[in-house]
Amino acid sequence: MKFFRSKQQASACDKMTLSQARPGRLFRVKALEGTCCSRLRQMGFCEAMEVRKLSDGQNMLCTLCGTKLALNRKLADQILVTPA
Amino acid sequence: MSTGSPQLLVALVGNPNAGKTTLFNSLTGQNQKVGNYSGVTVSRKSGEFRTPHGVKVELIDLPGCYSLEPQSADEKVTHDVLCGEQDEQAKPDLTICVVDASALERHLHLALEVIALGHPVVLALNMVDLAEAQGIHLDPTILSEELGVPIVPIQANKHKGLIELKQALGTPLPRPASPKWNTRGNADERQQQRTKFIKEICNEAARREDDGTLTLTDRLDSFLLAPVTGWITLIAVMYAVFWTIFSLSSYPMDFIEGSFASLGDWVASAMPEGDLNDLLVEGIIGGLSGTLVFLPQIVILFFFIALMEASGYMARAAILMDRVMNLVGLSGKSFLPLLSSHACAIPGVMATRTIDSAKERLITILIAPWMSCSARLPVYTLLITMLLPLASSFTQAMVMLAVYFTGIITALIAARILKGRIAEDETPSHFMLELPPYRLPQPGYLARHIVDRAYAFLKRAGSIILALCIILWALETYPKPAEDSPAAENASLALEQSYMGQIGHVIEPVFKPLGYDWRTSTAVVMSFAAREVFKSSLQVTYNVSEELDEGQADTLLHEKLAKATWPDGSKIYTPATLLSLLVFFIYALQCLPTSAVVARETNSYKWAIGQLVGMSAFAYVAALVVFQVASIFLK
């Protein structure tokens, strides 16, 4: 139930996107914002999914649901995350 | 099997990529019908099969969707059919929900929604092999108890578990489950409840070994995707691929060429002289050897592409290339199509289907034929050997590399120019790519892939190219000169009087500014049907040459060409002509099958014809400029 509480506590770090997040850590997808939402959902970036960011860069690497993905910065900007 | 009306109506639902269509195909085999739902342009696919109990089942394949809260037309149909709200479509008796066992967290969302509808549901747990390979411990019994529906583990692509799945459909139907999760509240609350429940059951029934430790794949990636080491590796890999193609392949190629030459000699001496002997030796054996000799290079190229794909390196190469591609408005997704185009533009054009952006896809299709395909290798090899007859094989390989890069760089410049001229996509799309774990490629897979490719090549050589060889031979042999005419004694005069000679002389003026004589012009025109024919055509026409006596009949083609002269005695194949031919073959789109595939993939003849005319016109102009400029400097 930790997840539901943290969602209600609106704080400054709430607005962190996956591209701002630090590599090497585990995050939880909080919301999707932008033009590519449906495409991201198709690839599995649904709300409440856990995602581990592996590296930074123009194309960042992350693992989601056991799948490794390379993701353009512009897409990662549309994924809001919180530390898991 | 089609007698009597079905006793059971079953609907098939699942996320896209859950293997729904594979399952549909393996369940129904050939008994499929495709129609439309009334009012919407979403196709309705249905098929029939029988369960082991003899119950006849009609299976409807519903459009793949992520949720029953419809967003697109496809998803609305799925929702309406399952709820019995679709016109002219009876409500299904039972629903098979297909989920990807390796991504249960994602796929169970839809399954829970379907179960919550309160109809009989059977859950097909697909790709169990893949899930286990990823270290997921599946427990179908717990999953079945928690969800309250029968669960059948299957591998739809390998036809495993299908009997069990059919048995699970048997009468009596499974009872509708009473959901163990909270199904009240608004859409958002329901989604949260589902997420929570999925997390719980996945913890128990599909434990994933992800404790944050780096896998071998992660460690390899940190080396292979790092800015410096990644690029060094990629360049080394590409260099190794092309080096192998050009140097290692010479041994089997010499062998094939030699075998054909001795076969031709043997046939020529073993058969009585006459038209048939001539057709076999000059037309078929001579013509086909020009094409078949490239089998080793094609096999090697496809071997490397298959190796890169099967090992998982191809996706990494695409990520590295993404930056380069960005410069010309393409993304890393264009890399695989363009690399495949070096083997053959047809699979290259088809591989563009994975590109999300319509604009990027179109640009990739349009420039793909400028990647030098394997059919051009015969021509390049011939021309470069003649251009630098005394150079070492290393220098020749470097020239070959330069030829390839000429094509690639022009293509990228063209992409850049096209970028501003083609309509933008409605929604922007950005690069995103799944990175499969590194795997040791299965030798069986590689072997099958290569055998398929080699077979396709041989089939092409045995059909289109064989037919063209016979036509070429007939054109150069007939009409036969009259018994007492001067041409009967002089083979080259006879050739000039043949149909091919007549055609050649008609088109010669068009290609004369490029430095080609009538035989070369004919070969160039013929090669618009298939590029390989260029060499075969020269082989056929230059076989008759006045300087050669009987004993020299089997000298290599490039030696014959080197001796060829214009009527005034000057050489035809000067360096300027050879350069001009090289340039022409880099740019001309001489491949009708490619144009057909482009028309199909772009859904428009406009693009295909525009590409054909544009590229060929560009080739002509470029070859003209090269010949005229080179004639001044290389005198």
Side-chain angles (χ1 to χ4, degrees), chain B residues 254-280:
Chain B
D254 288 347
F255 172 75
I256 294 177
E257 204 149 41
S259 312
F260 267 101
S262 17
L263 178 69
D265 284 349
W266 179 76
V267 172
S269 57
M271 272 178 70
E273 274 195 34
D275 275 7
L276 186 62
N277 183 328
D278 200 39
L279 168 67
L280 276 177

Side-chain angles (χ1 to χ4, degrees), chain B residues 302-376:
Chain B
F302 276 111
F303 168 75
F304 277 109
I305 289 181
L307 192 66
M308 282 171 74
E309 281 207 82
S311 64
Y313 186 69
M314 191 63 95
R316 276 75 182 179
I319 290 173
L320 285 171
M321 288 303 288
D322 184 54
R323 290 212 183 165
V324 181
M325 298 293 201
N326 277 338
L327 298 178
V328 295
L330 296 174
S331 80
K333 294 228 169 163
S334 302
F335 176 67
L336 171 62
L338 293 180
L339 183 67
S340 307
S341 299
H342 281 107
C344 174
I346 294 168
V349 167
M350 297 211 284
T352 59
R353 287 182 193 172
T354 56
I355 302 175
D356 304 314
S357 152
K359 177 185 173 179
E360 238 182 84
R361 182 170 176 224
L362 182 59
I363 295 178
T364 311
I365 289 177
L366 290 180
I367 64 168
W370 273 352
M371 304 296 125
S372 293
C373 69
S374 50
R376 270 177 270 200

